[in-house]
């Protein structure tokens, strides 16, 4: 299967030298100024954590969420969190997403009428919605698994090279009680001086603790310290909570792309009938160019 280059792979738009050795790089500023702009989730005084990974988590109290840069040894746990987060979108896309597709609802209703007229069976007509929802789940799972296969073989296959080494990009993890429980990435585009927030996901067992907002604030801090003019993101998330999170961080909804295409889609008639995505675009303007 053909996968797009990293710049073409969408999220949660669901992956030389060590960056710390790059003199004058954009990452230097964030390492020096980490945690100066946003308070920690625990409410404790802000302080710059040691750069070394050894013993870092032991320095923090229980329930203290610590956002730090990704380390290559965390590749597998990061991929797991991302994979599980995207897999949650299968039922959401299949079922919740239907309420935003009035034309598809109308087509399904016509199917039910035709079924009753042709078969004269109330039982078969009542079973039709179950069949239609089953088909929606099947195609949602099929497409999203194809998307995951593509992403896990592009930027999420080598986070170090895709996000940590290029200047103007970074990847962070959220650590709670010594465990990686959340992830987020930032990808800079120097052509238009924008930064893209990508790959945000939190382990389902640790949600409701403000971890996603802390990850988002880290990206905002990184962008502001490195003089980007705006931050953009795109998402196919159906849950209202995801959109409220972006709005709480200051993002403005700037448009929707109907019938959005993911890597791995075949555009067959059946796929068009049972799988549809809406792609929401958000922007946070930091300063005028």
């Amino acid at each position: 299967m053909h996968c797009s280059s990293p710049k073409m792979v969408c999220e949660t738009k669901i992956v030389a030298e060590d960056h710390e050795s790059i003199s004058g790089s954009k990452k230097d500023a964030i390492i020096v100024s980490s945690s100066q702009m946003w308070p920690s989730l625990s409410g404790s005084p802000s302080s710059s954590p040691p750069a070394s990974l050894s013993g870092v988590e032991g320095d923090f109290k229980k329930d203290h969420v610590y956002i730090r840069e990704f380390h290559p040894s965390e590749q597998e746990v990061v991929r797991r969190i991302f994979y599980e987060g995207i897999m949650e979108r299968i039922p959401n896309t299949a079922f919740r997403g239907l309420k935003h597709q009035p034309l598809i609802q109308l087509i399904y209703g016509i199917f039910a009428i035709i079924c009753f007229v042709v078969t004269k069976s109330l039982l078969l007509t009542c079973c039709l919605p179950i069949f239609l929802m089953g088909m929606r789940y099947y195609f949602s799972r099929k497409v999203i698994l194809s998307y995951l296969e593509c992403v896990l073989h592009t930027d999420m296959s080598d986070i170090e090279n895709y996000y940590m080494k290029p200047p103007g990009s970074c990847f962070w993890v959220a650590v709670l009680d010594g465990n990686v429980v959340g992830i987020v990435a930032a990808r800079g585009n120097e052509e238009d001086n924008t930064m893209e927030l990508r790959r945000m996901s939190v382990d389902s067992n640790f949600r409701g603790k403000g971890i996603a907002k802390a990850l988002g604030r880290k990206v905002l801090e990184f962008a502001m310290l490195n003089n980007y003019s705006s931050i953009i993101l795109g998402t196919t998330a159906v849950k209202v909570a995801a959109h409220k999170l972006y709005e709480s961080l200051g993002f403005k909804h700037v448009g929707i792309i109907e019938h959005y295409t993911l890597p791995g889609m075949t555009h067959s008639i059946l796929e068009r009938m049972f799988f549809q995505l809406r792609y929401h675009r958000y922007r946070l303007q930091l300063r005028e160019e």
Side-chain angles (χ1 to χ4, degrees), residues 192-193 227-230 285 287-289:
D192 58 3
N193 200 31
N227 297 317
Y228 283 100
S229 61
S230 61
Q285 196 70 32
R287 60 185 176 84
E288 295 298 331
E289 284 293 276

Side-chain angles (χ1 to χ4, degrees), residues 30-41:
I30 190 66
I31 294 169
V32 172
S33 305
S34 177
S35 303
Q36 290 181 355
M37 194 168 299
W38 303 100
S40 66
L41 294 181

Side-chain angles (χ1 to χ4, degrees), residues 14-138:
I14 133 92
V15 116
E17 301 168 346
D18 186 275
H19 69 269
E20 294 179 359
S21 67
I22 303 176
S23 176
S25 72
K26 290 190 174 183
K27 283 200 178 68
D28 291 334
I30 190 66
I31 294 169
V32 172
S33 305
S34 177
S35 303
Q36 290 181 355
M37 194 168 299
W38 303 100
S40 66
L41 294 181
S42 64
S44 61
S46 174
S47 61
S48 295
S52 172
L53 291 176
S54 59
V56 134
E57 291 83 5
D59 295 337
F60 293 88
K61 297 178 181 180
K62 187 177 181 180
D63 295 332
H64 186 109
V65 177
Y66 170 44
I67 311 297
R68 61 166 168 76
E69 291 186 7
F70 164 84
H71 187 269
S73 64
E74 297 158 340
Q75 179 83 25
E76 289 308 312
V77 66
V78 164
R79 282 164 58 92
R80 176 188 62 79
I81 291 173
F82 175 75
Y83 178 89
E84 292 177 354
I86 296 298
M87 287 294 287
E88 290 179 8
R89 298 193 180 186
I90 293 175
N92 290 329
T93 303
F95 307 134
R96 291 188 182 184
L98 183 59
K99 68 180 181 179
H100 300 297
Q101 299 158 10
L103 178 60
I104 296 298
Q105 293 178 35
L106 177 62
I107 292 173
Y108 291 173
I110 293 172
F111 281 171
I113 294 172
I114 293 174
C115 178
F116 181 74
V117 170
V118 172
T119 66
K120 306 297 184 183
S121 171
L122 186 60
L123 178 61
L124 286 176
T125 304
C126 291
C127 288
L128 181 63
I130 299 174
F131 169 77
L132 294 175
M133 292 302 102
M135 291 294 287
R136 287 185 63 87
Y137 184 87
Y138 169 79

Side-chain angles (χ1 to χ4, degrees), residues 196-216:
E196 182 183 5
L197 185 154
R198 314 180 84 200
R199 309 306 185 214
M200 181 184 285
S201 187
V202 175
D203 190 312
S204 59
N205 297 316
F206 297 93
R207 291 174 187 167
K209 300 178 182 292
I211 296 173
K213 181 171 284 190
L215 288 165

